[in-house]
Amino acid sequence: MLRKTLLSLLFAAVLVPLAAGAQTLLQAGRIHTSDPDQAVAEAMVWDKEGRILAVGEGDVLKARYPDARLVDLGDATVVPGLIDAHAHIVGLGMALTRADLVGTRSKREILERLQAFERDLPPGEWLIGRGWDQNDWPEQVFPTAADLDAVFPERPVWLGRVDGHAGWVNSAVLRAIAADPAAGALLAEGQPDGGLIVRDAGGRPTGVFVDEAERLVAAVSPDLDQADADRALELALAAAVRQGLTGLHDMGTSLADFQQLRRFADAGRLPLRISAYADGDGRALDWLCANGAYAHPGKRLQMRGVKFLIDGALGSRGAAMAEDYSDDPGNRGLVLIEPVRFAQLVGRAQGCGLQVATHAIGDRGNRIVLDAYARVLGERSTDDHRWRIEHAQIMALEDIPRFAELGVVASMQPTHATSDMPWAEARVGAERIAGAYAWRRFAEAGVPLALGSDFPVESPDPRFGLHAAVTRQDRSGDPPGGWMPEQRLTIAEALHGFTAGAAWAHHDEALTGQLAPGLQADFVVLAQDPMAVAPADLHALTVRSTWVDGAPVYEAE
């Protein structure tokens, strides 16, 4: 199935444009355009470059374009191409080629999956996986190296938490870190800036590393060769278009990852649009400041922004909170960049002409970012900068209107709410939960919303995001009536967040996000109409095909 999908991607990218005439006319049961001037249509026409020429009634367009190649989709529904406004495409590829621990409910289940995965590993090779979440286990506490040592006493094991903000290793990895003089000294006693080496009562490392502490593990882990990295990226790209994605914002792209994406773009191997954001204060930001914002001539790859991280994640208690965690007195999370330094970095990005996006989850983290944006923007806060806060997950209620005042986009991920709802209130308490995952509060405050998934933290399937946004329930329908249901979005708002809203958040509204003349023909063909199905069924919409630049990049069997 996967091999067939990859081959179909190549076929679509190469053969369809050659076979197509100068113009193509598509007719469907209904076309939801996201264009306020013509919300629903039944046909559209595009040229050989994939640029939409007209949208309207089928008979009218057939008469106007009599020589256009006809694509008749019958009663199917067409929506603008879905755009994930916060994703990690290289990380998804890595997740697809490593041990999958998502959904595990105990350490025993994790060990069973790891043993099954290990059967195909050569002796001595690291066993790497991702997806564990201690909040889903009966004991709900961090694991230890000893848990892994019982089954893997010699093979190095490194398992990323589901949110990517913590790692769990066995003693073989601890020994490898200890063998390095500098890292070993820190491991023995101390803490890295912006990170946490979890220790037991005697001060010994337990095997869990949070946020910046994970760099100690990364420094001793093996590098991935180029062939394996390319295979992983191919798998991720195929998975993305299979779910109906025609674009994504890659948040935290290293220079090496950008160079890989650029090779793929040069070779015509990108089936969707990728808008990359450099990974903070590193080589990718240096490259952008030296060379300027990048846009590939094929319109499939851009990098003209930078993403910083101000704090950690809620699930690992690394999100920076103004007061103690309700379930962990004395802990207020982690600030990954000292506020004065952060404002300096934001100023540098502004000086390089870049769009700024910042990961902020805790109420203190979000306030630090808003304060820095206000300080750096000054009187230019009313300019069309579209700076972003990624996640905006736990907010002080008085800070939500500041987004609109400063012209800041709230880039939020609906499935985070439905994943976190079983334990989120225990983390922050009944009072602070009022500002958590507060999509409706943002919308009513006039804050632009861009929606995404944060895959591979969550599934790359945008249908799951639409469902979560509209129901605030898991896909089993729990809890009845939805969790904090007053914060739900309508299906029109949710679809806008995954299309026009996401495009606008990256200054791409003249390229994609709607189906309107002058824009590219990026769209998804669905068997059902998302505006007509029951909200509970949104996650089960059937993707028949995904189109980019007027050509299919995925077609269901």
Side-chain angles (χ1 to χ4, degrees):
M1 176 72 177
L2 181 57
R3 177 178 176 83
K4 181 174 181 179
T5 300
L6 291 172
L7 290 173
S8 70
L9 288 175
L10 295 174
F11 181 86
V14 176
L15 297 185
V16 170
L18 296 177
Q23 297 159 348
T24 300
L25 190 154
L26 177 144
Q27 186 164 312
R30 67 215 55 81
I31 300 173
H32 294 295
T33 69
S34 283
D35 180 359
D37 293 332
Q38 186 172 20
V40 182
E42 60 184 23
M44 64 179 174
V45 179
W46 61 85
D47 63 19
K48 62 182 180 180
E49 304 299 329
R51 186 173 62 91
I52 298 173
L53 302 175
V55 178
E57 297 180 7
D59 291 343
V60 172
L61 296 186
K62 286 177 182 177
R64 190 185 307 172
Y65 300 95
D67 297 326
R69 180 175 67 100
L70 178 64
V71 176
D72 191 342
L73 299 178
D75 192 45
T77 296
V78 171
V79 299
L82 299 168
I83 303 168
D84 193 312
H86 186 113
H88 306 279
I89 191 67
V90 173
L92 177 61
M94 295 297 101
L96 292 172
T97 56
R98 293 172 175 174
D100 179 12
L101 308 179
V102 174
T104 48
R105 296 294 174 178
S106 67
K107 286 182 282 189
R108 178 180 177 180
E109 186 179 353
I110 286 175
L111 293 174
E112 290 172 351
R113 288 200 194 183
L114 293 176
Q115 286 176 303
F117 188 85
E118 186 198 25
R119 296 189 189 113
D120 297 326
L121 287 183
E125 185 171 317
W126 280 48
L127 173 52
I128 301 177
R130 176 170 176 161
W132 61 273
D133 185 351
Q134 82 284 359
N135 297 306
D136 293 337
W137 305 342
E139 63 272 30
Q140 295 191 342
V141 296
F142 274 147
T144 68
D147 296 319
L148 296 172
D149 294 343
V151 179
F152 305 103
E154 300 298 333
R155 184 189 295 277
V157 181
W158 180 15
L159 309 176
R161 192 179 183 278
V162 65
D163 57 15
H165 285 267
W168 170 25
V169 305
N170 65 348
S171 293
V173 175
L174 292 176
R175 290 192 293 270
I177 297 172
D180 178 87
L186 187 61
L187 183 68
E189 185 177 5
Q191 294 291 356
D193 292 338
L196 176 68
I197 301 170
V198 179
R199 301 181 183 277
D200 62 19
R204 294 177 294 271
T206 65
V208 172
F209 295 76
V210 181
D211 286 309
E212 290 299 303
E214 283 199 271
R215 293 184 184 275
L216 296 175
V217 184
V220 299
S221 66
D223 293 329
L224 194 67
D225 67 49
Q226 195 61 65
D228 286 341
D230 285 356
R231 173 177 170 270
L233 180 56
E234 285 179 342
L235 292 172
L237 294 169
V241 296
R242 188 166 62 246
Q243 313 295 355
L245 289 174
T246 63
L248 61 90
H249 302 171
D250 196 59
M251 284 292 165
T253 309
S254 69
L255 184 59
D257 291 346
F258 170 64
Q259 291 168 340
Q260 181 189 25
L261 292 170
R262 192 171 177 181
R263 282 193 297 103
F264 269 58
D266 289 342
R269 297 170 68 187
L270 287 185
L272 77 171
R273 304 189 198 282
I274 297 179
S275 303
Y277 287 74
D279 59 341
D281 184 25
R283 295 172 59 210
L285 177 58
D286 293 341
W287 188 92
L288 283 172
C289 288
N291 296 279
Y294 173 83
H296 191 274
K299 300 180 181 179
R300 298 282 176 99
L301 177 64
Q302 304 177 67
M303 187 163 73
R304 57 190 190 205
V306 58
K307 177 220 176 182
F308 299 111
L309 290 95
I310 201 64
D311 65 356
L314 192 67
S316 50
R317 297 186 182 87
M321 304 300 298
E323 301 294 338
D324 293 359
Y325 277 88
S326 298
D327 60 355
D328 191 13
N331 179 14
R332 296 190 178 186
L334 298 168
V335 175
L336 305 187
I337 309 175
E338 193 275 328
V340 173
R341 174 60 178 157
F342 174 65
Q344 292 170 345
L345 291 174
V346 172
R348 182 194 180 200
Q350 182 191 51
C352 295
L354 302 175
Q355 184 188 22
V356 180
T358 307
H359 161 118
I361 288 183
D363 54 5
R364 183 184 175 206
N366 277 280
R367 184 166 293 170
I368 290 172
V369 176
L370 290 169
D371 288 348
Y373 283 5
R375 188 176 307 120
V376 174
L377 287 169
E379 295 180 355
R380 298 182 61 185
S381 64
T382 57
D383 291 353
D384 190 21
H385 53 82
R386 304 185 202 181
W387 289 4
R388 304 165 51 147
I389 290 185
E390 306 301 312
H391 310 307
Q393 202 161 294
I394 310 295
M395 298 295 307
L397 295 181
E398 62 268 27
D399 282 337
I400 292 177
R402 297 181 66 194
F403 281 70
E405 295 165 6
L406 293 170
V408 174
V409 177
S411 173
M412 306 179 79
Q413 299 74 45
T415 49
H416 279 344
T418 49
S419 292
D420 298 355
M421 62 186 179
W423 47 263
E425 185 169 346
R427 286 284 191 277
V428 301
E431 183 176 345
R432 287 182 292 187
I433 201 68
Y437 317 90
W439 317 318
R440 172 58 55 201
R441 293 186 191 276
F442 277 100
E444 291 179 351
V447 180
L449 289 176
L451 301 182
S453 69
D454 198 11
F455 71 68
V457 175
E458 303 281 356
S459 167
D461 194 331
R463 292 168 293 186
F464 295 174
L466 293 172
H467 175 268
V470 176
T471 67
R472 290 182 75 95
Q473 295 174 315
D474 64 23
R475 293 186 293 280
S476 298
D478 291 323
W483 181 59
M484 299 169 60
E486 69 279 0
Q487 295 305 314
R488 289 179 298 203
L489 299 176
T490 67
I491 180 55
E493 291 170 327
L495 190 60
H496 184 272
F498 275 103
T499 56
W504 187 89
H506 189 259
H507 298 270
D508 283 338
E509 68 272 19
L511 178 68
T512 188
Q514 300 179 8
L515 297 175
L519 277 64
Q520 295 301 114
D522 296 357
F523 58 91
V524 183
V525 180
L526 301 171
Q528 305 88 7
D529 183 353
M531 306 297 289
V533 301
D537 296 330
L538 285 168
H539 66 88
L541 294 168
T542 302
V543 176
R544 288 187 175 176
S545 57
T546 306
W547 298 60
V548 177
D549 290 325
V553 294
Y554 165 75
E555 293 181 278
E557 293 184 11

